[in-house]
Amino acid sequence: MQQEIQPVTPAVTEEQASEPPSTMRAAQTPSSCQDEPLCKKLSQWNDWRWQIRNRIRSLDQLARYVPSLSGRSELQKVIAKYPMAITPYYASLIQHADVSDPIFRMSVPNLREMFDPPCLTDDPLEEHEDMPVPGLVHRYRDRALLIATTMCSMYCRHCTRKRIAGTRENAISARRLRQVQEYLFNHPEISDVIVSGGDPLTMSDAAIEAVLSMLRSVPSVQIIRIGTRVPVVLPMRITDELVSMLKRYHPLWINTHFNHPNELTDQSRAACEKLADAGIPLGNQTVLLRGVNDDPQIIEELCRGLIRTRVRPYYMYQCDLVRGVEHFRTSVRKGMEIMEYLRGRVSGIAIPTFVVDAPHGGGKIPVLPNYVVTMSPTHTVLRNYEGLLVSYPEPGVDMESTVEPASGQAGVWELACGKADVIQPAHTTRMDRREKITAKRGAARGTGYLFDA
Ligand SMILES: *Cc1c(COP(=O)(O)O)cnc(C)c1O
Ligand code: SF4
C-alpha cells in the first residue's frame, strides 16, 4: 500500500491552531521568550498532557497530518478493531508520508492489519493462561509481569498486546492492586516485578507511585522494572518530578522500546539521560519489523546510538504470532543474519540478545548463530566472527600425549582431536594489523616490556 510521498506538514485548522509550526517541533522552550504566542505553543508542545490531549485519534485528524490519507475511510474498520493514537511529537518524526517511512509504518494504521492467517492469535504467548490474578502474568518462577494500564500514548501497529492496548484506556484499580499485593505476599519466590501495560508511564505520577509503593510494601520483591515506550513516543513525560519520585523506589530498572535510529532525537535522548542520571539502568527492547529495521546496518546504527545514550540494547525480539501484525513479520533467519553481522563488529555492550518469545507461553528463547563447530571428548572446536577455527582443549587433557601433529592441511577433525589448534583465514584485518606490529617490533628490537622503564 504505497501512498504518494508528501511532506507531513499538517494543514493548520482552527481546531489545531495550538499546533506549533513544524520548524519549531521538538525544540526546547527557550528560557527568555521574545515571541509570546510562539513560546506558548512551545511550552504546550513540551507539556506531555497537551501531547496526550492532542493525539491523532481519528481518520479526520490523521488526514490533516497526512493529506494523502484523506478519503481512506476503509481504515475506519482497522482503527475500530485496533485503536489509533499518535502523539503530535511522534507524528513530527515522520519524514515521508508513506509506508517507506519507519515512523509512519509503526504508527499509522494499515489495511493489512485485517489480514488474518490461521497461525496468528490474539494472545500467542498465552499470557491470559498465566494470570493468577487478572493483570498479573506469573510465568517464570522468580519474576512476574504486571499490566498496570491498558493505555499507551501511541499505539504501535506492531504491538504484541494488540488485544489489550487501547481497547479501553484504563489504569489498574485499587482493588486489583490489593489482589496483586496479596498474591506477591503469598509468593515470596517472586523477586522481580515488571510493571508493563499498555504503557505505565502514561499514568499520573500519583498512580505510578501507588503501584510502586504497593510493590515496595512486599519485602520479597527486590527488583522493580518498568517497561515503557514513553521516552520514544512522549519524551516530555520524563519530567523532573516524575524522575525524583521514581528514584525513591530503587533498585528500579527501565526497559524502553526504540526500534529505529529516527526515534533517537535530542528530546528522546534527553529523556533517557535524565533517567540514567537518576541512577536508573536503562535497557532497550527492539522488535524486528519488516520494512522498519530488518536490516543489519539499521540495527547497528540503532544500537550504537543507544549506547551513546546510555541505553543498553537488551533484547531484539522476533515478532510474536499476534493477529494483525502479519505484514511486520520477518523470517527468523533475518535475526540470525543481524546477530552474525553485529558480533565482532560492534562493542559487546551494543549487542542485544535475539529472542523468540515462544508460543504457548514458553518464555523467551535465545537464538544465535552457531559458534560451536564440533566437539570431541578432548576438544571443543569453535569459530569466531572472522571464520577462524580454534580448538579449546578440555581440562585434564594431557597435551604432551596427544596424537601426532597433523601432516599437511589440518581440517576440523584434526582440531577436534588435538592434532592442530587453529585454522586461520588467509587474510583478515586483524592479522594484517598483527603483521605490521611484528614488522615494527623486529625493526625496533624491543625489550619485551609492556611499558618503557
Ligand atoms: C519477558 C517476560 C519476563 C521477563 O523476562 P526477562 O528475561 O527476565 O527479561 C517476565 N515475565 C513475562 C511474562 C515476560 O514476558
Ligand atoms: S507502547 Fe508497548 S504496549 Fe503500547 S502499543 Fe506500543 S508496543 Fe504495545
Side-chain angles (χ1 to χ4, degrees), residues 261-275:
N262 289 4
E263 295 174 330
L264 282 164
T265 64
D266 290 347
Q267 260 189 311
S268 65
R269 284 208 165 94
C272 293
E273 281 162 9
K274 206 179 263 194
L275 293 166

Side-chain angles (χ1 to χ4, degrees), residues 64-78:
R64 282 203 286 272
Y65 271 80
V66 188
S68 60
L69 288 185
S70 55
R72 294 287 309 281
S73 54
E74 73 273 21
L75 286 178
Q76 191 57 48
K77 65 173 186 242
V78 181

Side-chain angles (χ1 to χ4, degrees), residues 151-152 154-156 158-161 165 197-199 228-229 257:
M151 173 169 170
C152 302
M154 192 281 278
Y155 292 114
C156 308
H158 57 270
C159 181
T160 198
R161 296 208 186 100
D199 194 326
T228 175
R229 218 179 173 211
H257 176 174

Side-chain angles (χ1 to χ4, degrees), residues 127 137 139-140 143-145 161 192 194 225 285 314-315 317 357 364:
E127 292 187 322
V137 186
R139 167 162 305 153
Y140 299 106
R143 50 213 192 276
L145 183 146
R161 296 208 186 100
D192 174 353
I194 299 155
R225 292 193 254 177
Q285 315 201 126
Y314 178 50
Y315 282 140
Y317 287 96
D357 213 336
K364 297 169 184 79

Side-chain angles (χ1 to χ4, degrees), residues 147-151 168-174 176 203-204 207 211:
I147 297 179
T149 175
T150 55
M151 173 169 170
R168 272 171 295 171
E169 294 195 323
N170 284 345
I172 193 165
S173 67
R176 268 291 186 264
M203 303 193 294
S204 67
V211 174

Side-chain angles (χ1 to χ4, degrees), residues 43-54 87 151 201-205 234-239:
S43 68
Q44 281 181 333
W45 184 260
N46 289 316
D47 171 359
W48 69 275
R49 292 187 184 277
W50 181 91
Q51 288 279 340
I52 291 212
R53 272 199 310 277
N54 287 278
T87 55
M151 173 169 170
L201 294 191
T202 57
M203 303 193 294
S204 67
D205 289 7
L234 186 69
M236 50 293 281
R237 172 69 185 99
I238 308 301
T239 59

Side-chain angles (χ1 to χ4, degrees), residues 63 68 148 394 409 438:
S68 60
E394 304 299 354
Q409 183 71 48
T438 315

